[in-house]
């Protein structure tokens, strides 16, 4: 990353700890008119991950933090109508996922799902400020990444889990 680009974009969003900060940064870079490339041979040392020795901060689970950050990145980087439609799907997917986890007695995962969702909606001013900081490049950034955003992924995942539970289990022979 060129230093001038890093400074212009303000580096990584400090609200994203450990997960999705790179995705958010690249999305903002794309929106600011920079070209983003994937270099598979590159080696990166994540300062915060190294400081925590690969662990998530106290009081958080990796699933919850990853889910919350994923929702945050979508909420602050998508154009308004697309964001509302996407978050509606994420809310439905999260509620279905939490219900599935409750039914299958995976209570910690159900709590992670609901906590991630509430972590986004309990701070509307924070979301509004983040969206305001990104407003200039929202459309351009979205146009660059829209082909990579899968449609109805949470609902598809839940339905696959349910179908797996309902299908007859074949024991190998």
């Amino acid at each position: 990353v060129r230093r001038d680009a890093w400074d212009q974009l303000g580096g990584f969003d400090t609200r994203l700890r450990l997960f999705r900060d790179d995705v958010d940064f690249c999305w903002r870079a794309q929106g600011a008119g920079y070209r983003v490339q994937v270099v598979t041979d590159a080696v990166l040392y994540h300062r915060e991950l190294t400081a925590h020795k690969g662990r998530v901060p106290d009081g958080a689970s990796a699933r919850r933090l990853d889910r919350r950050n994923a929702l945050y990145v979508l909420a602050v980087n998508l154009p308004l109508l697309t964001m509302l439609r996407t978050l509606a799907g994420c809310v439905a997917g999260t509620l279905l996922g939490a219900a599935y986890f409750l039914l299958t007695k995976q209570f910690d995962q159900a709590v992670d799902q609901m906590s991630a969702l509430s972590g986004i909606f309990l701070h509307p001013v924070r979301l509004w400020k983040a969206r305001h900081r990104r407003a200039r490049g929202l459309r351009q950034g979205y146009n660059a990444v829209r082909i990579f955003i899968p449609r109805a992924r949470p609902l598809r995942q839940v339905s696959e889990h349910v179908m797996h539970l309902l299908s007859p289990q074949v024991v190998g022979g």
Side-chain angles (χ1 to χ4, degrees):
V1 177
R2 290 192 342 242
R3 181 64 188 203
D4 63 322
W6 179 266
D7 290 342
Q8 178 191 348
L9 297 170
F12 290 134
D13 187 327
T14 57
R15 288 161 199 82
L16 298 169
R17 299 179 316 189
L18 297 180
F19 301 107
R20 313 291 177 154
D21 50 355
D22 52 347
V23 173
D24 177 70
F25 181 79
C26 290
W27 199 321
R28 289 185 289 125
Q30 210 47 69
Y34 293 104
R35 189 177 77 174
V36 176
Q37 285 185 274
V38 175
V39 180
T40 57
D41 293 339
V43 176
L44 173 84
Y45 295 97
H46 195 293
R47 178 183 55 91
E48 191 166 346
L49 185 62
T50 302
H52 289 287
K53 296 180 178 73
R55 296 174 300 172
V56 295
D58 293 335
S61 80
R63 282 186 306 265
R64 180 182 314 160
L65 198 54
D66 185 40
R67 178 77 173 156
R68 183 193 65 87
N69 288 359
L71 292 171
Y72 176 85
V73 168
L74 290 172
V76 300
N77 287 302
L78 290 172
L80 182 62
L81 292 177
T82 304
M83 182 267 293
L84 293 173
R85 189 173 53 247
T86 301
L87 285 184
C90 288
V91 168
T94 298
L95 294 174
L96 284 172
Y100 164 78
F101 290 131
L102 287 172
L103 289 171
T104 58
K105 297 182 181 178
Q106 299 175 62
F107 301 118
D108 56 335
Q109 290 200 40
V111 168
D112 286 344
Q113 291 283 312
M114 295 308 294
S115 294
L117 189 61
S118 66
I120 291 298
F121 291 109
L122 290 178
H123 304 287
V125 173
R126 185 182 302 162
L127 287 179
W128 180 82
K129 286 180 179 179
R131 288 185 60 77
H132 183 71
R133 283 191 304 272
R134 291 163 169 81
R136 205 173 329 163
L138 275 180
R139 179 59 59 188
Q140 186 178 359
Y142 175 63
N143 287 338
V145 301
R146 68 190 291 172
I147 62 171
F148 302 111
I149 300 173
R151 299 190 182 278
R153 184 171 179 243
L155 295 175
R156 188 170 48 247
Q157 286 178 326
V158 170
S159 66
E160 287 172 1
H161 286 299
V162 170
M163 293 309 292
H164 176 73
L165 288 174
L166 296 176
S167 66
Q169 302 298 315
V170 178
V171 179

